[in-house]
Amino acid sequence: MHFKDILSIGVNHHLLCKTLIRDARSHMETLLPLLEDERFDLFDLWIVGEEPYRTEELEAIRDCGRPIVYNVGDRDGQPTLYPTSRDPRIRRYTLDAFQAEIERGLEAGTKKIVTSSGPMTAGDPQDAFKALTEFYCRLCEFVPDDVTVLVEPTDTDFDKRFFLGSSRDAVRLADAVRACGYRNFGSMIDMCHLPPLHETVDEAVRILGGDLRHIHLGTCVTENPRNPFYGDKHPGWGLPDTCWAEREVALLLEAGLASGYFGRDSRGTASFEMVAYDGKPYLDSLDVFFSYMERAFALVSDTYKSGSGRETR
């Protein structure tokens, strides 16, 4: 049995190639070879807006024949996005920027869109939560019913300092969006974000429950400020001072199997989201990620692999 029997594996392009992407051209030139890797079932990515690179990326994505998870977020050289803002000008810019990105994702055939809440804006947190709920309702209305908008829990007081932090907050937001009549909304887990949120991998799976729609696989550095990867920097597995080892990845797999997110029938999506190793070509770094994943899967209890460890609901 292989880990790909229970999940659909992907990779995040813009994190893997973070040190190589300088502009639209280098974004495209690093993406195209990655799309040729047949080991992947899907790709986490975003598409540049500049031509001719936009068209070339879209064509390559369609030609690869595999789904994408589209990632929306702040872009270098552009104003920060504030989904919680009540300022009409900032809110309009933020919504326009999100929708422009989402349109490119829809053109590429995405069915999952990863987003975050952005930084906290001045004002009452309860009003900010209401503004965020309204913002996500607009996004859910903007996309087709079969496309799911995801919110990614991110630290509130460590590095990114975003508004929405814990998995419980994500569930609360999902409940609020559904109460407005939108079912195409969910959340996800990013392993890099969990230590600053003081959540373990299995806790996050249990808390999100049916709202879990995607996972970013990785690790982070939280205890050594002198480490260049300190913070929300997405280092590769196995580097000095990183939080997670094979055992924690195995715990994530076991929790996913127990919840039904992973399994032979469900094969929930999970993508490597780590920067390529220093001094190693980015495509070669993928071999390390796969090897690490295989060792972690070997630690998964046979009880979970057989399905007898699945939770009853």
Side-chain angles (χ1 to χ4, degrees), residues 9-34:
I9 192 69
V11 62
N12 184 304
H13 162 249
H14 50 278
L15 261 298
L16 177 70
C17 301
K18 181 179 180 180
T19 62
L20 302 175
I21 297 174
R22 303 173 302 279
D23 51 26
R25 179 173 181 173
S26 55
H27 188 279
M28 181 201 71
E29 289 177 342
T30 52
L31 175 61
L32 267 55
L34 186 62

mmCIF file with all atom_site columns, all heavy atoms in Angstrom, residues 9-34:
data_model
loop_
_atom_site.group_PDB
_atom_site.id
_atom_site.type_symbol
_atom_site.label_atom_id
_atom_site.label_alt_id
_atom_site.label_comp_id
_atom_site.label_asym_id
_atom_site.label_entity_id
_atom_site.label_seq_id
_atom_site.pdbx_PDB_ins_code
_atom_site.Cartn_x
_atom_site.Cartn_y
_atom_site.Cartn_z
_atom_site.occupancy
_atom_site.B_iso_or_equiv
_atom_site.pdbx_formal_charge
_atom_site.auth_seq_id
_atom_site.auth_comp_id
_atom_site.auth_asym_id
_atom_site.auth_atom_id
_atom_site.pdbx_PDB_model_num
ATOM 1   N N   . ILE A 1 9  ? -2.098 13.707 -4.158  1.00 0.00 ? 9  ILE A N   1
ATOM 2   C CA  . ILE A 1 9  ? -0.935 14.506 -3.780  1.00 0.00 ? 9  ILE A CA  1
ATOM 3   C C   . ILE A 1 9  ? -0.672 15.622 -4.798  1.00 0.00 ? 9  ILE A C   1
ATOM 4   O O   . ILE A 1 9  ? -0.780 15.419 -6.006  1.00 0.00 ? 9  ILE A O   1
ATOM 5   C CB  . ILE A 1 9  ? 0.320  13.616 -3.611  1.00 0.00 ? 9  ILE A CB  1
ATOM 6   C CG1 . ILE A 1 9  ? 1.456  14.388 -2.944  1.00 0.00 ? 9  ILE A CG1 1
ATOM 7   C CG2 . ILE A 1 9  ? 0.748  13.024 -4.949  1.00 0.00 ? 9  ILE A CG2 1
ATOM 8   C CD1 . ILE A 1 9  ? 1.203  14.733 -1.504  1.00 0.00 ? 9  ILE A CD1 1
ATOM 9   N N   . GLY A 1 10 ? -0.344 16.794 -4.255  1.00 0.00 ? 10 GLY A N   1
ATOM 10  C CA  . GLY A 1 10 ? -0.021 17.936 -5.095  1.00 0.00 ? 10 GLY A CA  1
ATOM 11  C C   . GLY A 1 10 ? 1.211  18.643 -4.580  1.00 0.00 ? 10 GLY A C   1
ATOM 12  O O   . GLY A 1 10 ? 1.880  18.202 -3.643  1.00 0.00 ? 10 GLY A O   1
ATOM 13  N N   . VAL A 1 11 ? 1.529  19.779 -5.196  1.00 0.00 ? 11 VAL A N   1
ATOM 14  C CA  . VAL A 1 11 ? 2.662  20.592 -4.775  1.00 0.00 ? 11 VAL A CA  1
ATOM 15  C C   . VAL A 1 11 ? 2.327  22.050 -5.035  1.00 0.00 ? 11 VAL A C   1
ATOM 16  O O   . VAL A 1 11 ? 1.655  22.378 -6.016  1.00 0.00 ? 11 VAL A O   1
ATOM 17  C CB  . VAL A 1 11 ? 3.960  20.185 -5.514  1.00 0.00 ? 11 VAL A CB  1
ATOM 18  C CG1 . VAL A 1 11 ? 3.834  20.390 -7.020  1.00 0.00 ? 11 VAL A CG1 1
ATOM 19  C CG2 . VAL A 1 11 ? 5.169  20.948 -4.973  1.00 0.00 ? 11 VAL A CG2 1
ATOM 20  N N   . ASN A 1 12 ? 2.781  22.906 -4.135  1.00 0.00 ? 12 ASN A N   1
ATOM 21  C CA  . ASN A 1 12 ? 2.568  24.343 -4.280  1.00 0.00 ? 12 ASN A CA  1
ATOM 22  C C   . ASN A 1 12 ? 3.744  24.931 -5.056  1.00 0.00 ? 12 ASN A C   1
ATOM 23  O O   . ASN A 1 12 ? 4.876  24.960 -4.563  1.00 0.00 ? 12 ASN A O   1
ATOM 24  C CB  . ASN A 1 12 ? 2.448  24.982 -2.891  1.00 0.00 ? 12 ASN A CB  1
ATOM 25  C CG  . ASN A 1 12 ? 2.140  26.463 -2.951  1.00 0.00 ? 12 ASN A CG  1
ATOM 26  O OD1 . ASN A 1 12 ? 2.869  27.232 -3.572  1.00 0.00 ? 12 ASN A OD1 1
ATOM 27  N ND2 . ASN A 1 12 ? 1.074  26.874 -2.298  1.00 0.00 ? 12 ASN A ND2 1
ATOM 28  N N   . HIS A 1 13 ? 3.466  25.426 -6.259  1.00 0.00 ? 13 HIS A N   1
ATOM 29  C CA  . HIS A 1 13 ? 4.523  25.924 -7.136  1.00 0.00 ? 13 HIS A CA  1
ATOM 30  C C   . HIS A 1 13 ? 5.220  27.150 -6.571  1.00 0.00 ? 13 HIS A C   1
ATOM 31  O O   . HIS A 1 13 ? 6.452  27.226 -6.540  1.00 0.00 ? 13 HIS A O   1
ATOM 32  C CB  . HIS A 1 13 ? 3.940  26.249 -8.518  1.00 0.00 ? 13 HIS A CB  1
ATOM 33  C CG  . HIS A 1 13 ? 4.811  27.144 -9.334  1.00 0.00 ? 13 HIS A CG  1
ATOM 34  N ND1 . HIS A 1 13 ? 4.455  28.446 -9.640  1.00 0.00 ? 13 HIS A ND1 1
ATOM 35  C CD2 . HIS A 1 13 ? 6.026  26.948 -9.890  1.00 0.00 ? 13 HIS A CD2 1
ATOM 36  C CE1 . HIS A 1 13 ? 5.406  29.005 -10.351 1.00 0.00 ? 13 HIS A CE1 1
ATOM 37  N NE2 . HIS A 1 13 ? 6.372  28.122 -10.519 1.00 0.00 ? 13 HIS A NE2 1
ATOM 38  N N   . HIS A 1 14 ? 4.453  28.158 -6.145  1.00 0.00 ? 14 HIS A N   1
ATOM 39  C CA  . HIS A 1 14 ? 5.079  29.427 -5.786  1.00 0.00 ? 14 HIS A CA  1
ATOM 40  C C   . HIS A 1 14 ? 5.865  29.367 -4.485  1.00 0.00 ? 14 HIS A C   1
ATOM 41  O O   . HIS A 1 14 ? 6.756  30.192 -4.275  1.00 0.00 ? 14 HIS A O   1
ATOM 42  C CB  . HIS A 1 14 ? 4.050  30.567 -5.745  1.00 0.00 ? 14 HIS A CB  1
ATOM 43  C CG  . HIS A 1 14 ? 2.833  30.286 -4.953  1.00 0.00 ? 14 HIS A CG  1
ATOM 44  N ND1 . HIS A 1 14 ? 1.770  29.564 -5.452  1.00 0.00 ? 14 HIS A ND1 1
ATOM 45  C CD2 . HIS A 1 14 ? 2.479  30.624 -3.688  1.00 0.00 ? 14 HIS A CD2 1
ATOM 46  C CE1 . HIS A 1 14 ? 0.821  29.483 -4.538  1.00 0.00 ? 14 HIS A CE1 1
ATOM 47  N NE2 . HIS A 1 14 ? 1.232  30.108 -3.459  1.00 0.00 ? 14 HIS A NE2 1
ATOM 48  N N   . LEU A 1 15 ? 5.580  28.389 -3.603  1.00 0.00 ? 15 LEU A N   1
ATOM 49  C CA  . LEU A 1 15 ? 6.425  28.206 -2.422  1.00 0.00 ? 15 LEU A CA  1
ATOM 50  C C   . LEU A 1 15 ? 7.653  27.386 -2.771  1.00 0.00 ? 15 LEU A C   1
ATOM 51  O O   . LEU A 1 15 ? 8.758  27.694 -2.334  1.00 0.00 ? 15 LEU A O   1
ATOM 52  C CB  . LEU A 1 15 ? 5.629  27.549 -1.298  1.00 0.00 ? 15 LEU A CB  1
ATOM 53  C CG  . LEU A 1 15 ? 5.067  28.481 -0.221  1.00 0.00 ? 15 LEU A CG  1
ATOM 54  C CD1 . LEU A 1 15 ? 6.177  29.214 0.514   1.00 0.00 ? 15 LEU A CD1 1
ATOM 55  C CD2 . LEU A 1 15 ? 4.100  29.489 -0.800  1.00 0.00 ? 15 LEU A CD2 1
ATOM 56  N N   . LEU A 1 16 ? 7.477  26.322 -3.539  1.00 0.00 ? 16 LEU A N   1
ATOM 57  C CA  . LEU A 1 16 ? 8.613  25.498 -3.950  1.00 0.00 ? 16 LEU A CA  1
ATOM 58  C C   . LEU A 1 16 ? 9.678  26.354 -4.639  1.00 0.00 ? 16 LEU A C   1
ATOM 59  O O   . LEU A 1 16 ? 10.872 26.212 -4.372  1.00 0.00 ? 16 LEU A O   1
ATOM 60  C CB  . LEU A 1 16 ? 8.139  24.400 -4.912  1.00 0.00 ? 16 LEU A CB  1
ATOM 61  C CG  . LEU A 1 16 ? 9.223  23.487 -5.482  1.00 0.00 ? 16 LEU A CG  1
ATOM 62  C CD1 . LEU A 1 16 ? 9.786  22.573 -4.410  1.00 0.00 ? 16 LEU A CD1 1
ATOM 63  C CD2 . LEU A 1 16 ? 8.677  22.674 -6.658  1.00 0.00 ? 16 LEU A CD2 1
ATOM 64  N N   . CYS A 1 17 ? 9.241  27.268 -5.487  1.00 0.00 ? 17 CYS A N   1
ATOM 65  C CA  . CYS A 1 17 ? 10.162 28.079 -6.297  1.00 0.00 ? 17 CYS A CA  1
ATOM 66  C C   . CYS A 1 17 ? 10.294 29.509 -5.785  1.00 0.00 ? 17 CYS A C   1
ATOM 67  O O   . CYS A 1 17 ? 10.618 30.422 -6.554  1.00 0.00 ? 17 CYS A O   1
ATOM 68  C CB  . CYS A 1 17 ? 9.693  28.083 -7.757  1.00 0.00 ? 17 CYS A CB  1
ATOM 69  S SG  . CYS A 1 17 ? 9.585  26.443 -8.496  1.00 0.00 ? 17 CYS A SG  1
ATOM 70  N N   . LYS A 1 18 ? 10.070 29.695 -4.500  1.00 0.00 ? 18 LYS A N   1
ATOM 71  C CA  . LYS A 1 18 ? 10.044 31.043 -3.925  1.00 0.00 ? 18 LYS A CA  1
ATOM 72  C C   . LYS A 1 18 ? 11.323 31.821 -4.211  1.00 0.00 ? 18 LYS A C   1
ATOM 73  O O   . LYS A 1 18 ? 11.277 33.022 -4.514  1.00 0.00 ? 18 LYS A O   1
ATOM 74  C CB  . LYS A 1 18 ? 9.822  30.940 -2.416  1.00 0.00 ? 18 LYS A CB  1
ATOM 75  C CG  . LYS A 1 18 ? 9.741  32.271 -1.705  1.00 0.00 ? 18 LYS A CG  1
ATOM 76  C CD  . LYS A 1 18 ? 9.491  32.081 -0.218  1.00 0.00 ? 18 LYS A CD  1
ATOM 77  C CE  . LYS A 1 18 ? 9.418  33.415 0.500   1.00 0.00 ? 18 LYS A CE  1
ATOM 78  N NZ  . LYS A 1 18 ? 9.175  33.216 1.959   1.00 0.00 ? 18 LYS A NZ  1
ATOM 79  N N   . THR A 1 19 ? 12.463 31.179 -4.120  1.00 0.00 ? 19 THR A N   1
ATOM 80  C CA  . THR A 1 19 ? 13.727 31.886 -4.317  1.00 0.00 ? 19 THR A CA  1
ATOM 81  C C   . THR A 1 19 ? 14.065 32.093 -5.787  1.00 0.00 ? 19 THR A C   1
ATOM 82  O O   . THR A 1 19 ? 15.014 32.824 -6.109  1.00 0.00 ? 19 THR A O   1
ATOM 83  C CB  . THR A 1 19 ? 14.884 31.127 -3.646  1.00 0.00 ? 19 THR A CB  1
ATOM 84  O OG1 . THR A 1 19 ? 15.028 29.832 -4.258  1.00 0.00 ? 19 THR A OG1 1
ATOM 85  C CG2 . THR A 1 19 ? 14.623 30.948 -2.145  1.00 0.00 ? 19 THR A CG2 1
ATOM 86  N N   . LEU A 1 20 ? 13.310 31.472 -6.677  1.00 0.00 ? 20 LEU A N   1
ATOM 87  C CA  . LEU A 1 20 ? 13.601 31.552 -8.112  1.00 0.00 ? 20 LEU A CA  1
ATOM 88  C C   . LEU A 1 20 ? 12.667 32.495 -8.853  1.00 0.00 ? 20 LEU A C   1
ATOM 89  O O   . LEU A 1 20 ? 13.004 32.977 -9.946  1.00 0.00 ? 20 LEU A O   1
ATOM 90  C CB  . LEU A 1 20 ? 13.502 30.158 -8.745  1.00 0.00 ? 20 LEU A CB  1
ATOM 91  C CG  . LEU A 1 20 ? 14.416 29.078 -8.166  1.00 0.00 ? 20 LEU A CG  1
ATOM 92  C CD1 . LEU A 1 20 ? 14.091 27.735 -8.818  1.00 0.00 ? 20 LEU A CD1 1
ATOM 93  C CD2 . LEU A 1 20 ? 15.874 29.438 -8.362  1.00 0.00 ? 20 LEU A CD2 1
ATOM 94  N N   . ILE A 1 21 ? 11.493 32.758 -8.292  1.00 0.00 ? 21 ILE A N   1
ATOM 95  C CA  . ILE A 1 21 ? 10.503 33.586 -8.981  1.00 0.00 ? 21 ILE A CA  1
ATOM 96  C C   . ILE A 1 21 ? 10.806 35.064 -8.727  1.00 0.00 ? 21 ILE A C   1
ATOM 97  O O   . ILE A 1 21 ? 10.744 35.540 -7.597  1.00 0.00 ? 21 ILE A O   1
ATOM 98  C CB  . ILE A 1 21 ? 9.081  33.239 -8.513  1.00 0.00 ? 21 ILE A CB  1
ATOM 99  C CG1 . ILE A 1 21 ? 8.736  31.785 -8.876  1.00 0.00 ? 21 ILE A CG1 1
ATOM 100 C CG2 . ILE A 1 21 ? 8.063  34.190 -9.140  1.00 0.00 ? 21 ILE A CG2 1
ATOM 101 C CD1 . ILE A 1 21 ? 7.406  31.304 -8.323  1.00 0.00 ? 21 ILE A CD1 1
ATOM 102 N N   . ARG A 1 22 ? 11.132 35.766 -9.785  1.00 0.00 ? 22 ARG A N   1
ATOM 103 C CA  . ARG A 1 22 ? 11.465 37.194 -9.707  1.00 0.00 ? 22 ARG A CA  1
ATOM 104 C C   . ARG A 1 22 ? 10.453 38.056 -10.444 1.00 0.00 ? 22 ARG A C   1
ATOM 105 O O   . ARG A 1 22 ? 10.296 39.231 -10.149 1.00 0.00 ? 22 ARG A O   1
ATOM 106 C CB  . ARG A 1 22 ? 12.852 37.454 -10.286 1.00 0.00 ? 22 ARG A CB  1
ATOM 107 C CG  . ARG A 1 22 ? 13.966 36.664 -9.621  1.00 0.00 ? 22 ARG A CG  1
ATOM 108 C CD  . ARG A 1 22 ? 15.274 36.835 -10.355 1.00 0.00 ? 22 ARG A CD  1
ATOM 109 N NE  . ARG A 1 22 ? 15.165 36.426 -11.754 1.00 0.00 ? 22 ARG A NE  1
ATOM 110 C CZ  . ARG A 1 22 ? 15.233 35.182 -12.181 1.00 0.00 ? 22 ARG A CZ  1
ATOM 111 N NH1 . ARG A 1 22 ? 15.405 34.183 -11.317 1.00 0.00 ? 22 ARG A NH1 1
ATOM 112 N NH2 . ARG A 1 22 ? 15.129 34.898 -13.473 1.00 0.00 ? 22 ARG A NH2 1
ATOM 113 N N   . ASP A 1 23 ? 9.785  37.470 -11.434 1.00 0.00 ? 23 ASP A N   1
ATOM 114 C CA  . ASP A 1 23 ? 8.868  38.213 -12.275 1.00 0.00 ? 23 ASP A CA  1
ATOM 115 C C   . ASP A 1 23 ? 7.951  37.216 -12.979 1.00 0.00 ? 23 ASP A C   1
ATOM 116 O O   . ASP A 1 23 ? 8.005  36.002 -12.722 1.00 0.00 ? 23 ASP A O   1
ATOM 117 C CB  . ASP A 1 23 ? 9.635  39.064 -13.300 1.00 0.00 ? 23 ASP A CB  1
ATOM 118 C CG  . ASP A 1 23 ? 10.683 38.270 -14.076 1.00 0.00 ? 23 ASP A CG  1
ATOM 119 O OD1 . ASP A 1 23 ? 10.524 37.037 -14.210 1.00 0.00 ? 23 ASP A OD1 1
ATOM 120 O OD2 . ASP A 1 23 ? 11.662 38.873 -14.550 1.00 0.00 ? 23 ASP A OD2 1
ATOM 121 N N   . ALA A 1 24 ? 7.089  37.714 -13.885 1.00 0.00 ? 24 ALA A N   1
ATOM 122 C CA  . ALA A 1 24 ? 6.123  36.849 -14.567 1.00 0.00 ? 24 ALA A CA  1
ATOM 123 C C   . ALA A 1 24 ? 6.818  35.784 -15.414 1.00 0.00 ? 24 ALA A C   1
ATOM 124 O O   . ALA A 1 24 ? 6.369  34.636 -15.487 1.00 0.00 ? 24 ALA A O   1
ATOM 125 C CB  . ALA A 1 24 ? 5.197  37.696 -15.426 1.00 0.00 ? 24 ALA A CB  1
ATOM 126 N N   . ARG A 1 25 ? 7.919  36.163 -16.034 1.00 0.00 ? 25 ARG A N   1
ATOM 127 C CA  . ARG A 1 25 ? 8.614  35.202 -16.890 1.00 0.00 ? 25 ARG A CA  1
ATOM 128 C C   . ARG A 1 25 ? 9.191  34.043 -16.081 1.00 0.00 ? 25 ARG A C   1
ATOM 129 O O   . ARG A 1 25 ? 9.024  32.869 -16.447 1.00 0.00 ? 25 ARG A O   1
ATOM 130 C CB  . ARG A 1 25 ? 9.726  35.900 -17.669 1.00 0.00 ? 25 ARG A CB  1
ATOM 131 C CG  . ARG A 1 25 ? 10.503 34.959 -18.569 1.00 0.00 ? 25 ARG A CG  1
ATOM 132 C CD  . ARG A 1 25 ? 11.485 35.695 -19.449 1.00 0.00 ? 25 ARG A CD  1
ATOM 133 N NE  . ARG A 1 25 ? 12.205 34.790 -20.321 1.00 0.00 ? 25 ARG A NE  1
ATOM 134 C CZ  . ARG A 1 25 ? 13.027 35.172 -21.299 1.00 0.00 ? 25 ARG A CZ  1
ATOM 135 N NH1 . ARG A 1 25 ? 13.228 36.464 -21.520 1.00 0.00 ? 25 ARG A NH1 1
ATOM 136 N NH2 . ARG A 1 25 ? 13.641 34.284 -22.047 1.00 0.00 ? 25 ARG A NH2 1
ATOM 137 N N   . SER A 1 26 ? 9.881  34.341 -14.962 1.00 0.00 ? 26 SER A N   1
ATOM 138 C CA  . SER A 1 26 ? 10.456 33.270 -14.154 1.00 0.00 ? 26 SER A CA  1
ATOM 139 C C   . SER A 1 26 ? 9.359  32.440 -13.487 1.00 0.00 ? 26 SER A C   1
ATOM 140 O O   . SER A 1 26 ? 9.534  31.245 -13.236 1.00 0.00 ? 26 SER A O   1
ATOM 141 C CB  . SER A 1 26 ? 11.416 33.839 -13.110 1.00 0.00 ? 26 SER A CB  1
ATOM 142 O OG  . SER A 1 26 ? 10.790 34.812 -12.301 1.00 0.00 ? 26 SER A OG  1
ATOM 143 N N   . HIS A 1 27 ? 8.215  33.067 -13.200 1.00 0.00 ? 27 HIS A N   1
ATOM 144 C CA  . HIS A 1 27 ? 7.073  32.318 -12.680 1.00 0.00 ? 27 HIS A CA  1
ATOM 145 C C   . HIS A 1 27 ? 6.659  31.242 -13.685 1.00 0.00 ? 27 HIS A C   1
ATOM 146 O O   . HIS A 1 27 ? 6.485  30.071 -13.332 1.00 0.00 ? 27 HIS A O   1
ATOM 147 C CB  . HIS A 1 27 ? 5.917  33.284 -12.420 1.00 0.00 ? 27 HIS A CB  1
ATOM 148 C CG  . HIS A 1 27 ? 4.742  32.687 -11.701 1.00 0.00 ? 27 HIS A CG  1
ATOM 149 N ND1 . HIS A 1 27 ? 3.781  31.937 -12.366 1.00 0.00 ? 27 HIS A ND1 1
ATOM 150 C CD2 . HIS A 1 27 ? 4.363  32.715 -10.402 1.00 0.00 ? 27 HIS A CD2 1
ATOM 151 C CE1 . HIS A 1 27 ? 2.868  31.542 -11.502 1.00 0.00 ? 27 HIS A CE1 1
ATOM 152 N NE2 . HIS A 1 27 ? 3.183  32.001 -10.304 1.00 0.00 ? 27 HIS A NE2 1
ATOM 153 N N   . MET A 1 28 ? 6.525  31.634 -14.947 1.00 0.00 ? 28 MET A N   1
ATOM 154 C CA  . MET A 1 28 ? 6.124  30.684 -15.983 1.00 0.00 ? 28 MET A CA  1
ATOM 155 C C   . MET A 1 28 ? 7.215  29.630 -16.226 1.00 0.00 ? 28 MET A C   1
ATOM 156 O O   . MET A 1 28 ? 6.924  28.429 -16.360 1.00 0.00 ? 28 MET A O   1
ATOM 157 C CB  . MET A 1 28 ? 5.836  31.429 -17.285 1.00 0.00 ? 28 MET A CB  1
ATOM 158 C CG  . MET A 1 28 ? 5.387  30.527 -18.430 1.00 0.00 ? 28 MET A CG  1
ATOM 159 S SD  . MET A 1 28 ? 5.628  31.289 -20.055 1.00 0.00 ? 28 MET A SD  1
ATOM 160 C CE  . MET A 1 28 ? 7.423  31.233 -20.199 1.00 0.00 ? 28 MET A CE  1
ATOM 161 N N   . GLU A 1 29 ? 8.466  30.071 -16.269 1.00 0.00 ? 29 GLU A N   1
ATOM 162 C CA  . GLU A 1 29 ? 9.559  29.148 -16.597 1.00 0.00 ? 29 GLU A CA  1
ATOM 163 C C   . GLU A 1 29 ? 9.785  28.096 -15.512 1.00 0.00 ? 29 GLU A C   1
ATOM 164 O O   . GLU A 1 29 ? 10.291 27.007 -15.817 1.00 0.00 ? 29 GLU A O   1
ATOM 165 C CB  . GLU A 1 29 ? 10.844 29.944 -16.828 1.00 0.00 ? 29 GLU A CB  1
ATOM 166 C CG  . GLU A 1 29 ? 10.826 30.742 -18.121 1.00 0.00 ? 29 GLU A CG  1
ATOM 167 C CD  . GLU A 1 29 ? 12.074 31.593 -18.320 1.00 0.00 ? 29 GLU A CD  1
ATOM 168 O OE1 . GLU A 1 29 ? 12.801 31.841 -17.321 1.00 0.00 ? 29 GLU A OE1 1
ATOM 169 O OE2 . GLU A 1 29 ? 12.320 32.018 -19.458 1.00 0.00 ? 29 GLU A OE2 1
ATOM 170 N N   . THR A 1 30 ? 9.411  28.380 -14.281 1.00 0.00 ? 30 THR A N   1
ATOM 171 C CA  . THR A 1 30 ? 9.504  27.363 -13.229 1.00 0.00 ? 30 THR A CA  1
ATOM 172 C C   . THR A 1 30 ? 8.247  26.505 -13.147 1.00 0.00 ? 30 THR A C   1
ATOM 173 O O   . THR A 1 30 ? 8.297  25.343 -12.730 1.00 0.00 ? 30 THR A O   1
ATOM 174 C CB  . THR A 1 30 ? 9.763  28.014 -11.852 1.00 0.00 ? 30 THR A CB  1
ATOM 175 O OG1 . THR A 1 30 ? 8.782  29.038 -11.617 1.00 0.00 ? 30 THR A OG1 1
ATOM 176 C CG2 . THR A 1 30 ? 11.162 28.620 -11.801 1.00 0.00 ? 30 THR A CG2 1
ATOM 177 N N   . LEU A 1 31 ? 7.118  27.060 -13.561 1.00 0.00 ? 31 LEU A N   1
ATOM 178 C CA  . LEU A 1 31 ? 5.857  26.317 -13.496 1.00 0.00 ? 31 LEU A CA  1
ATOM 179 C C   . LEU A 1 31 ? 5.783  25.232 -14.557 1.00 0.00 ? 31 LEU A C   1
ATOM 180 O O   . LEU A 1 31 ? 5.371  24.097 -14.267 1.00 0.00 ? 31 LEU A O   1
ATOM 181 C CB  . LEU A 1 31 ? 4.676  27.274 -13.648 1.00 0.00 ? 31 LEU A CB  1
ATOM 182 C CG  . LEU A 1 31 ? 3.285  26.621 -13.715 1.00 0.00 ? 31 LEU A CG  1
ATOM 183 C CD1 . LEU A 1 31 ? 2.973  25.849 -12.435 1.00 0.00 ? 31 LEU A CD1 1
ATOM 184 C CD2 . LEU A 1 31 ? 2.209  27.675 -13.975 1.00 0.00 ? 31 LEU A CD2 1
ATOM 185 N N   . LEU A 1 32 ? 6.148  25.540 -15.781 1.00 0.00 ? 32 LEU A N   1
ATOM 186 C CA  . LEU A 1 32 ? 5.939  24.601 -16.889 1.00 0.00 ? 32 LEU A CA  1
ATOM 187 C C   . LEU A 1 32 ? 6.628  23.250 -16.681 1.00 0.00 ? 32 LEU A C   1
ATOM 188 O O   . LEU A 1 32 ? 5.993  22.193 -16.888 1.00 0.00 ? 32 LEU A O   1
ATOM 189 C CB  . LEU A 1 32 ? 6.358  25.236 -18.212 1.00 0.00 ? 32 LEU A CB  1
ATOM 190 C CG  . LEU A 1 32 ? 5.230  25.945 -18.987 1.00 0.00 ? 32 LEU A CG  1
ATOM 191 C CD1 . LEU A 1 32 ? 4.532  27.015 -18.136 1.00 0.00 ? 32 LEU A CD1 1
ATOM 192 C CD2 . LEU A 1 32 ? 5.759  26.577 -20.264 1.00 0.00 ? 32 LEU A CD2 1
ATOM 193 N N   . PRO A 1 33 ? 7.909  23.200 -16.256 1.00 0.00 ? 33 PRO A N   1
ATOM 194 C CA  . PRO A 1 33 ? 8.512  21.875 -16.003 1.00 0.00 ? 33 PRO A CA  1
ATOM 195 C C   . PRO A 1 33 ? 7.827  21.120 -14.870 1.00 0.00 ? 33 PRO A C   1
ATOM 196 O O   . PRO A 1 33 ? 7.730  19.890 -14.909 1.00 0.00 ? 33 PRO A O   1
ATOM 197 C CB  . PRO A 1 33 ? 9.964  22.223 -15.642 1.00 0.00 ? 33 PRO A CB  1
ATOM 198 C CG  . PRO A 1 33 ? 10.211 23.571 -16.233 1.00 0.00 ? 33 PRO A CG  1
ATOM 199 C CD  . PRO A 1 33 ? 8.902  24.287 -16.104 1.00 0.00 ? 33 PRO A CD  1
ATOM 200 N N   . LEU A 1 34 ? 7.348  21.842 -13.869 1.00 0.00 ? 34 LEU A N   1
ATOM 201 C CA  . LEU A 1 34 ? 6.670  21.196 -12.738 1.00 0.00 ? 34 LEU A CA  1
ATOM 202 C C   . LEU A 1 34 ? 5.398  20.496 -13.193 1.00 0.00 ? 34 LEU A C   1
ATOM 203 O O   . LEU A 1 34 ? 5.071  19.400 -12.722 1.00 0.00 ? 34 LEU A O   1
ATOM 204 C CB  . LEU A 1 34 ? 6.361  22.238 -11.672 1.00 0.00 ? 34 LEU A CB  1
ATOM 205 C CG  . LEU A 1 34 ? 5.789  21.729 -10.345 1.00 0.00 ? 34 LEU A CG  1
ATOM 206 C CD1 . LEU A 1 34 ? 6.773  20.791 -9.654  1.00 0.00 ? 34 LEU A CD1 1
ATOM 207 C CD2 . LEU A 1 34 ? 5.444  22.900 -9.440  1.00 0.00 ? 34 LEU A CD2 1
#
